[in-house]
Amino acid sequence: MDYDYIIAGGGSSGCVTAWRLVKDHGARVLLLEAGPPDKSMLFRMPAGFFKMLGGSPYLNIYESEPQARLNGRTTKVPQANVLGGGSSVNAMIYMRGKPEEYDEWDVASGGAGWTWRHMLPHYTRLEGNQRHVMPLHGDDGPLKVSDHVHICDMAWIYLQTLQNMGVPFNNDFNSGRQHGVGFMQLTTDHGKRCSAATAFLKPILNDKRLTLKTGAAVTNLLFEGNRCIGVEYVQNGQVHKVRAANEVVLTSGSYVSPKLLMLSGIGPEAHLAEHGIRTRVDLPGVGQNLQDHHEVPVSAYTKGAYGYFGEERGLKMVVNGLQYLLFGTGPVSSNGAETCAFVNPETRGPDSNVKIYCVAMIYLDRDVADVRPGHGVTFTCCLMRPKARGSVTLRSANPMDRTLINPNFLGHPDDLRIEIAALRYGREILASRPMADTVLKEVLPGPGVQTDAELTEFCKRTVKTNYHPVGTCAMGLDSNPMAVVTPDLKVRGVENLRVFDASVMPNLISANTNAPTMAIADKAVGLMMGETPPPPAVL
């Protein structure tokens, strides 16, 4: 056998897993990534991710099933298709969530050590923070985390407005106290994106124990009896089969990891039978429990240039590009959203349940709303803890076919109620000073949309993903029939197969999921390799 471990998926969790196995355990690792290498200059430039949102070879754009709750509308569901996964194409926001949400993970795992205090050492081990230090942050890890190099006028206006509304300033959203308004930190290093591929793969690319194959899509898992022995993958039109001496690890994300399990006979028996797949293990939870942050917009034109409209065109584009290339500064070094606020638009208390990003432009997907460009601001009101649950199912037994995705946005009445409250709160921001001094007119929802019924229809028309799907291979105890993996992330019912990505989260946390996914992978390697776990953080 050529490899000790095979990792299916070269995204954030796959890169961390490969790095830990090679660096700390001297293992022979095969890392398979369906997408291309991360060679484009756009990956290094923080503002470059805007160029990829509308369509890119580095994204797979799924389309959801028609949503009954959204009047039959479908929604675009993107997933990264490049080495580094989401960390190569996302907005680089570094967030962890709330301590009590990790306690829910620990309860789901029967007290197996998934609390906030147990997870903090994994965050700090990976993190090289520019500003914060122990015990809450690491300052010498490979994943560089830093403040924005460039902050636009609108970010300061937003910060001042929310404080005038009684929202406290928060200097560190990742301290365990999330409520407030402040500047977000990014996975950047001196104005350049620090993806998982940059942080974790680059240091080991020349290590002979690592074999990296890009453009290699895993299509099936191989078994001998009850034991997973390897994978089948397609590269350049050729089918290959490779074996692992020890274990196979799925790190393909919440849409593809459950797909690979189902294609290999692990999943809901009735659903597999629909596609002529023989059931190896009847696990009804595979592909279920899909959760995703979703958002609705409040947008307004402004009286002047406070943000980023027009900065990517003409002479300004040339000047900004030169400034970035020569000095690593200017608008190109920004992700376009330097500030956010975690609030509860209903109670106005510290029990925040909505994250409101301040995007310093009219920022809308064309399939959501077609609005004339101009100087403006958009508040994306993002629900942190949706109660609705969606699903990922097979379209067919053909591994080349994309999965059927049902995000079920607004599928619970509480989710809709909170989003409507968030829209009204966003309007309060527009009407409060100093923000009010900059506003020319509201664009969305628009002055004619006022009643709950009208706002409901607006939500149904505009709600979209915030790109954080989790939960489709949820962790849990054997007593939970919907659990897919055990507390140490073994796939139930088979040997030598684990899942290390965001799909194992039993519940969605109040955070962008890139950093939590990497922390999960770091902990998961320790569990798999029998390491003595780091002691829980003392706070």
Side-chain angles (χ1 to χ4, degrees), residues 310-323:
E311 296 292 334
E312 81 289 3
R313 287 181 279 177
L315 182 59
K316 283 189 176 181
M317 178 184 71
V318 174
V319 172
N320 292 335
L322 286 173
Q323 181 179 356

Side-chain angles (χ1 to χ4, degrees), residues 452-523:
D452 280 359
E454 290 167 338
L455 289 169
T456 293
E457 291 306 308
F458 175 78
C459 287
K460 290 179 178 181
R461 190 172 73 251
T462 61
V463 66
K464 61 178 283 291
T465 178
N466 198 230
Y467 318 111
H468 303 146
V470 310
T472 52
C473 298
M475 166 176 58
L477 301 173
D478 287 344
S479 58
N480 177 3
M482 298 302 288
V484 176
V485 297
T486 63
D488 54 356
L489 307 189
K490 296 177 181 177
V491 176
R492 294 172 61 203
V494 296
E495 299 175 8
N496 298 350
L497 178 63
R498 305 196 192 214
V499 184
F500 284 4
D501 58 37
S503 68
V504 306
M505 297 183 191
N507 54 272
L508 182 58
I509 59 176
S510 300
N512 305 63
T513 48
N514 188 48
T517 298
M518 289 187 274
I520 286 171
D522 185 71
K523 179 179 177 66

Side-chain angles (χ1 to χ4, degrees), residues 274-343:
E274 291 174 7
H275 300 292
I277 299 172
R278 181 180 67 84
T279 300
R280 183 179 302 277
V281 183
D282 180 15
L283 285 184
V286 175
Q288 302 302 302
N289 192 47
L290 175 63
Q291 301 156 64
D292 190 5
H293 295 140
H294 51 76
E295 64 188 44
V296 289
V298 173
S299 297
Y301 291 123
T302 55
K303 298 173 183 176
Y306 300 96
Y308 294 109
F309 172 69
E311 296 292 334
E312 81 289 3
R313 287 181 279 177
L315 182 59
K316 283 189 176 181
M317 178 184 71
V318 174
V319 172
N320 292 335
L322 286 173
Q323 181 179 356
Y324 181 77
L325 291 174
L326 292 174
F327 307 109
T329 60
V332 179
S333 67
S334 174
N335 69 346
E338 293 99 24
T339 48
C340 78
F342 286 93
V343 298

Side-chain angles (χ1 to χ4, degrees), residues 36 40 42-43 48-61 78-82 88-89 402:
S40 170
L42 288 177
F43 295 125
F49 88 98
F50 280 106
K51 295 290 186 181
M52 292 181 270
L53 287 176
S56 160
Y58 307 114
L59 288 176
N60 287 324
I61 306 294
Q79 186 187 42
N81 182 48
V82 65
S88 291
V89 299
R402 292 183 174 181

Side-chain angles (χ1 to χ4, degrees), residues 17 117 129 257 281 302 313 368 434:
T17 301
R117 290 177 60 241
N129 200 295
S257 285
V281 183
T302 55
R313 287 181 279 177
V368 168

Side-chain angles (χ1 to χ4, degrees), residues 121-168:
H122 299 286
Y123 280 107
T124 58
R125 172 156 60 190
L126 301 181
E127 181 185 6
N129 200 295
Q130 172 194 46
R131 175 161 51 94
H132 299 298
V133 295
M134 293 291 283
L136 293 173
H137 294 274
D139 60 3
D140 61 356
L143 182 69
K144 303 309 176 186
V145 178
S146 62
D147 298 330
H148 278 88
V149 172
H150 179 85
I151 297 175
C152 70
D153 291 341
M154 181 54 71
W156 293 106
I157 293 166
Y158 182 78
L159 186 77
Q160 293 168 344
T161 301
L162 268 292
Q163 289 181 89
N164 284 340
M165 293 172 64
V167 178

Side-chain angles (χ1 to χ4, degrees), residues 1-21:
M1 293 185 182
D2 294 329
Y3 310 107
D4 298 316
Y5 298 89
I6 296 174
I7 303 170
S12 295
S13 55
C15 291
V16 172
T17 301
W19 172 71
R20 288 272 275 118
L21 287 173

Side-chain angles (χ1 to χ4, degrees), residues 334-355:
S334 174
N335 69 346
E338 293 99 24
T339 48
C340 78
F342 286 93
V343 298
N344 186 318
E346 295 178 307
T347 69
R348 307 300 170 104
D351 53 334
S352 57
N353 56 6
V354 171
K355 179 181 183 182

